[in-house]
Amino acid sequence: LYARRLLDPADSSQKLLLVVDQFEEVFTLCHDSSERQCFIDALLATASKGPGSLLRVVITLRADFIVSCVQFPALVEALNKWQELIGPMMSGEVRRVIEEPARLGGWAFEPGLVELILHDIGAEGTHAPEPGALPLLSHALLETWKHRRGRMMTLESYAESGGVRKAIARTAESVYNSRLDDAQRAVARRIFLRLTELGEGTQD
């Protein structure tokens, strides 16, 4: 209803795209089955308004959670009809992800740095990066940029950031130890434990 209020039904040029990122969280974070069902039903109802609808719905879902969808027949039907499987990026695509934003922003990489980064995430040659490497890459690039020399991101600034393997750990340790007091650390611990699901019968 809120989405429809944003649109003027008399203006057919208006379009609204609703993106539900990390849809798997409906299975990992929502533990109320009726709430989960209502959410999925509402999305499907919104998405099934036909080709003339001004509203489009896109969900992103990790492939290893497809099996969790089978208990919702209407959702399975929609996935079968509209699913687009996005495979892992190859080395050349990851290189563009690293280089193009920097080029557009007028930043530069010291020769050899991009090759080192690709090596560190396992995306050398024609290989795809290691599973889970892209969030690490994103943070390492941000920290490397923060340690840049002028408009140049250097091998030294990458090393100072901690690189792909250590940048997130260094940032997390810094925030946890330097910016949080004892009470906040206890809250942070509880949050991270709630965000983690381990054990038999669950998706880690």
Side-chain angles (χ1 to χ4, degrees):
L1 292 174
Y2 176 73
R4 293 192 185 97
R5 286 199 297 268
L6 295 176
L7 295 167
D8 179 0
D11 184 358
S12 61
S13 67
Q14 281 191 330
K15 304 287 183 193
L16 184 63
L17 177 65
L18 174 63
V19 178
V20 183
D21 194 17
Q22 296 181 312
F23 184 76
E24 62 271 7
E25 290 184 357
V26 77
F27 304 110
T28 60
L29 297 185
C30 178
H31 299 289
D32 184 328
S33 59
S34 60
E35 182 181 356
R36 182 185 302 121
Q37 183 72 63
C38 286
F39 178 72
I40 291 173
D41 289 345
L43 278 181
L44 291 170
T46 302
S48 62
K49 296 303 179 185
S53 174
L54 303 180
L55 179 62
R56 296 287 184 267
V57 177
V58 173
I59 68 170
T60 67
L61 174 68
R62 277 176 37 187
D64 50 334
F65 278 90
I66 291 285
V67 68
S68 300
C69 299
V70 298
Q71 58 191 304
F72 304 96
L75 178 59
V76 170
E77 182 180 349
L79 290 175
N80 285 337
K81 186 174 182 181
W82 299 109
Q83 182 178 179
E84 180 70 29
L85 184 62
I86 308 297
M89 288 190 291
M90 295 296 105
S91 177
E93 294 168 316
V94 178
R95 178 183 288 275
R96 287 198 299 277
V97 164
I98 295 170
E99 293 178 338
E100 279 301 295
R103 184 186 67 80
L104 292 172
W107 309 98
F109 289 96
E110 181 180 358
L113 177 54
V114 173
E115 288 70 23
L116 175 60
I117 294 171
L118 291 172
H119 167 78
D120 286 351
I121 63 171
E124 296 176 287
T126 59
H127 295 96
E130 297 171 5
L134 295 182
L136 302 179
L137 169 65
S138 175
H139 189 74
L141 288 172
L142 173 62
E143 292 301 310
T144 300
W145 180 81
K146 288 179 180 178
H147 290 87
R148 68 193 182 278
R149 306 296 188 266
R151 302 200 69 78
M152 173 77 69
M153 286 173 277
T154 66
L155 292 160
E156 186 177 2
S157 59
Y158 178 68
E160 289 171 356
S161 78
V164 169
R165 301 294 175 199
K166 298 180 181 176
I168 284 183
R170 286 188 183 180
T171 300
E173 289 292 338
S174 173
V175 170
Y176 188 80
N177 292 316
S178 304
R179 298 188 198 172
L180 303 183
D181 59 28
D182 289 342
Q184 291 169 328
R185 289 186 192 116
V187 171
R189 177 176 171 78
R190 288 197 298 272
I191 289 171
F192 276 99
L193 287 173
R194 289 183 65 187
L195 287 171
T196 305
E197 212 172 285
L198 301 171
E200 190 175 347
T202 65
Q203 181 66 45
D204 294 348

